[in-house]
């Protein structure tokens, strides 16, 4: 295998997707190629993050609040019957039963509401986990594609970016490390460079200094990508000067 071909195996190696003979040959190459070693470290860190599950649990304090509120339901205070009165015990028992029944109904209604809310949260969490899993699978397909090619460079503020492109998958992935957070109310937006025309390729997570983004849409004829700072939610076209420009790797 030629040196040029070995350079293209960083993504497959990071995902343990190489057959044994190619893995050994690539590791011999890796010992003498710092550029590939750096890409493998970045891709391996990204692959590890892709394995994290997305989950959301209902807050514990909700159940505790419901239990506290149940105790505030008024009940008849115990009292001793007076001499000469009849039927008092039955009246008190009836009132106590009424309050107890009200408390039970309140509890059932409260816990019924909690159950519905918990089911809704669980369903939202499942949908989010499914979405994340699909995106992770697509990311992995690009990173491990036989024709995947990478290009890395320094970004503004000392950050580092790597773009992985697969013409076979017609998709691209952008990996960032050390990105400074965008200004408040702003977000980093990625753009395809279609021979000078910028096409939106998605938003980065404003809370993450390290991020892996499956670019939104096919690569098609794009020759590179850019990043701008846009209002939260993104823009239809760039509204600021790019903070980064990167060319896609060539064959």
């Amino acid at each position: 295998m030629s040196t040029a071909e070995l350079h293209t195996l960083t993504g497959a190696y990071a995902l343990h997707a190489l057959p044994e003979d190619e893995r050994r040959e690539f590791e011999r190459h890796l010992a003498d190629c710092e550029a590939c070693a750096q890409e493998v470290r970045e891709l391996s860190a990204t692959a590890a993050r892709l394995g994290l599950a997305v989950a959301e649990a209902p807050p514990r304090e909700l159940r505790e609040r419901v239990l506290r509120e149940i105790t505030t339901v008024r009940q008849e205070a115990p009292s001793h019957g007076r001499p000469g009165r009849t039927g008092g015990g039955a009246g008190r028992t009836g009132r106590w039963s009424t309050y107890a029944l009200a408390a039970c109904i309140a509890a059932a209604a409260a816990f019924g509401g909690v159950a519905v809310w918990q089911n809704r949260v669980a369903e939202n969490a499942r949908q989010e986990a499914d979405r994340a899993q699909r995106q992770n699978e697509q990311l992995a397909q690009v990173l491990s594609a036989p024709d995947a090619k990478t290009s890395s460079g320094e970004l503004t503020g000392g950050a580092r970016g790597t773009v992985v492109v697969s013409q076979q998958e017609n998709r691209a992935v952008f990996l960032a490390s050390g990105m400074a957070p965008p200004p408040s109310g702003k977000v980093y937006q990625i753009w395809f460079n279609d021979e000078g025309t910028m096409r939106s390729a998605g938003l980065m997570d404003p809370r993450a200094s390290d991020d892996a983004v499956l670019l939104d849409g096919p690569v098609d004829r794009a020759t590179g990508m850019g990043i701008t700072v846009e209002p939260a939610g993104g823009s239809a076209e760039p509204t600021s000067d790019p903070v980064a420009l990167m060319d896609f790797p060539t064959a």
Side-chain angles (χ1 to χ4, degrees):
M1 187 177 296
S2 68
T3 301
E5 291 174 321
L6 287 169
H7 282 310
T8 67
L9 299 181
T10 53
Y13 178 78
L15 295 176
H16 307 286
L18 291 177
E20 184 63 22
D21 56 340
E22 290 186 9
R23 183 187 64 79
R24 289 196 298 267
E25 185 176 0
F26 180 77
E27 286 179 344
R28 289 193 293 270
H29 166 75
L30 199 61
D32 299 320
C33 181
E34 178 55 30
C36 285
Q38 175 66 25
E39 285 184 5
V40 165
R41 286 192 291 270
E42 294 172 350
L43 293 172
S44 296
T46 299
R49 290 195 297 273
L50 297 182
L52 297 177
V54 178
E56 184 177 353
R60 178 180 176 83
E61 58 267 23
L62 178 63
R63 179 176 181 274
E64 294 174 346
R65 190 177 75 238
V66 171
L67 291 175
R68 285 196 306 269
E69 291 178 355
I70 290 173
T71 64
T72 65
V73 177
R74 181 182 177 186
Q75 297 185 12
E76 181 74 6
S79 61
H80 301 287
R82 295 180 181 177
R85 294 187 63 181
T86 60
R92 287 194 295 272
T93 301
R95 287 194 295 273
W96 187 91
S97 299
T98 300
Y99 288 128
L101 179 60
C104 291
I105 293 173
F111 282 111
V114 171
V116 171
W117 180 81
Q118 288 176 331
N119 287 337
R120 187 179 300 117
V121 169
E123 180 60 26
N124 290 341
R126 281 193 294 270
Q127 292 176 357
E128 180 65 16
D130 289 343
R131 184 198 64 79
Q133 181 178 356
R134 287 193 299 271
Q135 185 178 56
N136 289 350
E137 290 172 351
Q138 292 174 321
L139 277 163
Q141 287 174 0
V142 175
L143 296 178
S144 62
D147 69 332
K149 295 179 175 58
T150 63
S151 177
S152 300
E154 297 294 327
L155 307 180
T156 303
R160 183 174 176 83
T162 298
V163 62
V164 183
V165 179
S166 168
Q167 295 297 335
Q168 176 178 302
E169 299 290 333
N170 199 20
R171 301 300 297 269
V173 170
F174 176 65
L175 312 172
S177 59
M179 291 283 287
S184 177
K186 301 287 186 178
V187 68
Y188 290 122
Q189 186 164 355
I190 303 176
W191 306 88
F192 283 114
N193 182 358
D194 290 337
E195 300 175 351
T197 300
M198 306 308 283
R199 168 169 52 102
S200 180
L203 306 176
M204 297 181 65
D205 185 348
R207 301 164 298 179
S209 60
D210 300 338
D211 201 3
V213 183
L214 177 70
L215 271 60
D216 186 13
V219 173
D220 288 345
R221 65 180 184 277
T223 58
M225 55 161 283
I227 303 175
T228 60
V229 177
E230 302 296 336
S235 302
E237 58 185 25
T239 63
S240 69
D241 293 333
V243 298
L245 289 172
M246 294 185 67
D247 291 331
F248 285 163
T250 57

